[in-house]
Amino acid sequence: PGWNPEWERRFKDAYGYDPEAAKKLLAEAGYGPGKPLSTTIQLRRYGYFPAAAEMDEAVLNYWRAVGVDVKLEQKDAAEFTAKSRRADYDNHSYVVVTSARAMTGIGAYNGMHLLNRGGIQLPELAELFREIQVTVDPKNNEELWRKWGDIAYDQYINLPLHWIPSEATVDPSVVADYVFPGSISGTYTHVEYLKAAR
């Protein structure tokens, strides 16, 4: 819901990897060789996404190439979950996968947790999300999701990096078609798009 085709048109300019532009933005924000931006990447392993650790290291190298001081941290799943539930992470990034996004991206932990303890948290998005949760009219819901998406896109709340499609094997005598984003987190989604064979 709320997909804006304009995001695709503007994607390369808005989200493309441009090291020189990144260095310029960092300099404008007051960072440079004498005062590097620093952050920590939380190395995580997922049974359903075995390449996550390699992606973490690729991101680390992307960021180091533009002058960011990046540390790599690894915790076991129980310790990570406990610390996350206590909202104890600040200025940490981690690879995420979800069934709601067509991209695998990176979210950033910070100290303000309004929705899900991960990603950049903006009060206006939290308010919109509460509206979305109680709006049942499809047209109004679509408009709210579009507004939410436009703000999220323009404020870079997630950084899409790589797209690794999932695969589904179906019996064509039962399932004629199944369109879904292709980036899932252990549970197949968008079952409303399954088309039965006739």
Side-chain angles (χ1 to χ4, degrees):
W3 180 259
N4 185 347
E6 183 71 10
W7 301 335
E8 292 176 79
R9 192 186 66 73
R10 295 191 297 126
F11 188 82
K12 187 174 180 184
D13 288 337
Y15 284 88
Y17 181 62
D18 184 339
E20 292 312 309
K23 289 176 188 175
K24 194 173 174 184
L25 286 169
L26 285 167
E28 287 173 14
Y31 297 104
K35 182 189 172 191
L37 173 67
S38 64
T39 190
T40 301
I41 290 182
Q42 180 65 50
L43 186 65
R44 298 183 66 196
R45 296 209 177 270
Y46 303 90
Y48 50 82
F49 183 40
E54 287 75 14
M55 282 181 64
D56 286 328
E57 292 183 33
V59 172
L60 176 139
N61 288 320
Y62 292 158
W63 287 353
R64 283 186 176 161
V66 298
V68 178
D69 176 23
V70 187
K71 293 171 185 62
L72 199 57
E73 182 178 277
Q74 186 171 6
K75 296 191 180 328
D76 69 40
E79 187 179 0
F80 176 86
T81 301
K83 191 169 179 179
S84 176
R85 286 181 178 159
R86 292 190 310 266
D88 282 348
Y89 281 109
D90 193 28
N91 192 23
H92 277 64
S93 297
Y94 61 100
V95 168
V96 294
V97 291
T98 84
S99 56
R101 298 185 187 120
M103 296 278 179
T104 296
I106 193 158
Y109 272 111
N110 62 30
M112 183 177 70
H113 305 290
L114 297 172
L115 296 175
N116 63 1
R117 294 192 293 278
I120 305 304
Q121 303 294 315
L122 302 173
E124 60 268 35
L125 289 185
E127 186 57 41
L128 270 172
F129 190 68
R130 284 189 279 275
E131 252 187 277
I132 289 165
Q133 288 178 308
V134 297
T135 301
V136 293
D137 178 83
K139 187 176 183 300
N140 292 343
N141 198 271
E142 173 84 14
E143 289 170 11
L144 289 169
W145 272 120
R146 171 72 63 92
K147 189 173 178 182
W148 195 99
D150 283 339
I151 293 169
Y153 186 95
D154 291 337
Q155 295 297 318
Y156 303 95
I157 69 165
N158 286 289
L159 305 178
L161 299 169
H162 302 279
W163 185 60
I164 300 173
S166 300
E167 296 180 28
T169 303
V170 298
D171 180 343
S173 67
V174 178
V175 177
D177 194 18
Y178 180 26
V179 177
F180 67 101
S183 179
I184 63 171
S185 58
T187 304
Y188 281 83
T189 63
H190 298 77
V191 292
E192 66 271 23
Y193 297 122
L194 276 165
K195 289 186 182 170
R198 295 179 191 244

